[in-house]
Every structure is written in C-alpha cells, then in structure tokens.
Amino acid sequence: MAKDLDIFDNKIIILYILEKNSKALTVEQIAKFCEDFDDITYFDICTYIQELESNGYITESFNDAHQTLYSITNSGLLTLQELLELIPGVNLHNIKKVINKNIVKIKTDYSIDNIVLPVKNDEFKVSCYIKDGNDELVNITMYAANKDQARNITKNWTNSAEEIYEKLLEMMTKDVQEDE
C-alpha cells in the first residue's frame, strides 16, 4: 500500500512539473527535474507518463526535431489542483524547492545533428550526435561506403535519433548473463 502511495505522489510530481513549465518537456527534461528525488528513476518516469497520458492528464506533441514533448491537459490541471490539497504542507514545500532549483538546470536547447566528413573518393564518415545543452548524450561515428549510404544515415538519424538512442541505451545497460 505504501508503494502505491509513492507512485501516486510521484505522478503528482510529474503533473506539477508540467504545470509549472511554460513549455512542453521531453522525458529527459522531466527526468532532470526529478534527479533529486531518490525514489524516481528514468524508467519510473516513462511508466508514469504512459499512465498519465492514457488517462488524459497529459498529452504528447512533437517539435520540429521530431522530439516527443509532454504537456498537462485541462483535466490534468484540474486533477492536480484538487490533489495538491491532499499533500501535507512540508512535502509540497520540499517538492517546490527541488523543482525550482532544477528549473535553472533545464535547458531546452536539446539538439540532434550530424556531420559528414569525406574520407576518400566516394567514402565518408558520418558523426551522429545528441547534445543536451553542453552535455553530449551520444556520439556515434559510422563509415559510409558511398554518398547514398551517408545520406541515408543522416536522414535516419535526423528522423529517429531519440528512438535509436533509447534502443542503444536499453541494449547497453541490460544485464548480461555469462555462461558458466
């Protein structure tokens, strides 16, 4: 039962973050707001967002860089206002303090880009990256045997960088069971 209350409180925190922001946020930006909360992980945030969206409390949209952005709906706003009354004053004060501290850290200049470097004749290196402010989240350099292959790499990266990054992160962080 206590775990259910924690999940309930954490969903309220997600709604509160979205309500306090003037712009829609990515999952990564929401996670940065939550990094000081010990009991909320990135994967928890993804689950909460799915549940909040399926219940109509938040909505998703896409920006020019094809990033998924989340914002609170009117239903979510009304629900949040009612639920905030249930949170004890001390807890709400602490939540506000953490979120206000992290607002300064959150930057919306999340960028996805690539650089094509000629190697020789019709061969290229394509460097694909995602940056969040000054932090480079990922940088992958690939060999392209011809101009068409380089063009396809850049096009696919531009259109699907977040999905590729999430898949890489999932694959690179899973536990590997060694055969004995």
Side-chain angles (χ1 to χ4, degrees):
M1 183 68 172
K3 180 73 174 157
D4 290 341
L5 285 176
D6 288 344
I7 291 171
F8 176 75
D9 290 346
N10 293 344
K11 288 179 186 177
I12 293 172
I13 291 170
I14 302 296
L15 288 175
Y16 186 81
I17 289 168
L18 291 172
E19 190 265 333
K20 288 298 173 192
N21 261 290
S22 58
K23 297 180 181 178
L25 299 173
T26 64
V27 172
E28 290 76 15
Q29 290 169 325
I30 294 168
K32 281 192 179 193
F33 273 106
C34 296
E35 65 187 14
D36 289 337
F37 296 107
D38 293 332
D39 59 339
I40 304 177
T41 68
Y42 179 85
F43 299 105
D44 292 334
I45 292 167
C46 292
T47 301
Y48 302 150
I49 286 173
Q50 281 181 333
E51 292 171 5
L52 289 167
E53 185 178 15
S54 68
N55 289 318
Y57 297 129
I58 64 174
T59 186
E60 76 175 20
S61 60
F62 301 93
N63 63 11
D64 294 340
H66 304 287
Q67 294 174 299
T68 305
L69 303 172
Y70 296 95
S71 55
I72 193 166
T73 63
N74 286 335
S75 176
L77 195 58
L78 292 172
T79 303
L80 176 65
Q81 289 169 350
E82 290 176 17
L83 295 177
L84 282 178
E85 294 175 13
L86 301 175
I87 298 176
V90 175
N91 289 345
L92 184 57
H93 175 72
N94 289 338
I95 291 169
K96 286 179 180 180
K97 194 166 90 175
V98 168
I99 290 171
N100 288 335
K101 180 185 117 189
N102 288 342
I103 280 177
V104 177
K105 293 181 183 179
I106 305 302
K107 296 180 180 173
T108 55
D109 59 341
Y110 189 82
S111 63
I112 296 171
D113 209 349
N114 52 64
I115 299 170
V116 178
L117 304 167
V119 176
K120 59 182 176 182
N121 297 333
D122 199 32
E123 297 173 5
F124 302 89
K125 278 189 195 178
V126 182
S127 182
C128 304
Y129 61 88
I130 300 175
K131 287 186 178 180
D132 188 6
N134 293 329
D135 296 327
E136 192 169 70
L137 301 178
V138 67
N139 187 339
I140 302 170
T141 302
M142 301 177 71
Y143 172 81
N146 56 52
K147 190 180 268 186
D148 287 336
Q149 197 175 39
R151 187 174 329 167
N152 287 338
I153 291 170
T154 60
K155 181 178 159 189
N156 288 324
W157 182 256
T158 301
N159 292 334
S160 305
E162 284 186 342
E163 294 84 17
I164 295 168
Y165 176 71
E166 288 173 10
K167 187 67 174 173
L168 278 171
L169 188 61
E170 177 186 315
M171 292 174 69
M172 298 296 288
T173 58
K174 72 179 180 179
D175 286 335
V176 178
Q177 301 294 325
E178 293 185 43
D179 294 329
E180 293 184 20

